[in-house]
Amino acid sequence: QAQLVESGGGLVQPGGSLRLSCQASGLSVNYYTLSWYRQPPGTERELVAAIGGDGVIKKYAESVQGRFTISRDNAKKMVYLQMNSLKPEDTAVYYCKASSRYSNNEFWGQGTLVTVSS
């Protein structure tokens, strides 16, 4: 059974940093694009960043470009989101997603809450 578990969320002041982690199990992560999405209060879920299977190709939402960095460690089955220069508008539940490169399979984590507030 595939499972994704996020961690690292919390309360941080504007301008601060957080590092989110997502542990995958039950799937061969090399065959999956790994992504971070977020859902601010009262809005739809949106893509934050995505990283290809080999870790070379990365994509970012314009709103986080230059502040957030996505990375992955296939040996550990981990994907990370380093978030710097956080703003109140980054407040959201952050979700990890694995999308198969060869089928329609996709899996979501349960989410971790990030609150940026003074």
Side-chain angles (χ1 to χ4, degrees):
Q1 181 73 17
Q3 189 175 17
L4 300 173
V5 179
E6 303 96 335
S7 61
L11 174 64
V12 63
Q13 293 187 341
S17 299
L18 276 178
R19 188 194 196 205
L20 303 183
S21 300
C22 176
Q23 175 73 66
S25 60
L27 70 163
S28 298
V29 294
N30 305 58
Y31 302 130
Y32 287 78
T33 296
L34 300 177
S35 309
W36 287 97
Y37 283 72
R38 68 185 180 187
Q39 187 166 16
T43 69
E44 295 184 353
R45 198 172 296 187
E46 61 184 13
L47 175 67
V48 175
I51 185 167
D54 58 5
V56 174
I57 297 175
K58 302 178 184 181
K59 174 183 177 180
Y60 295 95
E62 186 175 340
S63 59
V64 307
Q65 185 78 42
R67 298 189 299 121
F68 291 10
T69 302
I70 189 171
S71 61
R72 64 190 290 164
D73 185 332
N74 287 344
K76 296 181 179 180
K77 296 190 174 184
M78 296 288 294
V79 61
Y80 307 99
L81 186 68
Q82 178 66 44
M83 306 186 295
N84 299 329
S85 301
L86 283 161
K87 305 175 181 180
E89 51 264 43
D90 295 318
T91 294
V93 177
Y94 284 72
Y95 297 89
C96 176
K97 177 185 176 183
S99 306
S100 173
R101 296 158 60 190
Y102 304 105
S103 73
N104 292 326
N105 288 343
E106 61 180 39
F107 305 97
W108 290 89
Q110 82 289 349
T112 185
L113 176 63
V114 172
T115 302
V116 184
S117 175
S118 55

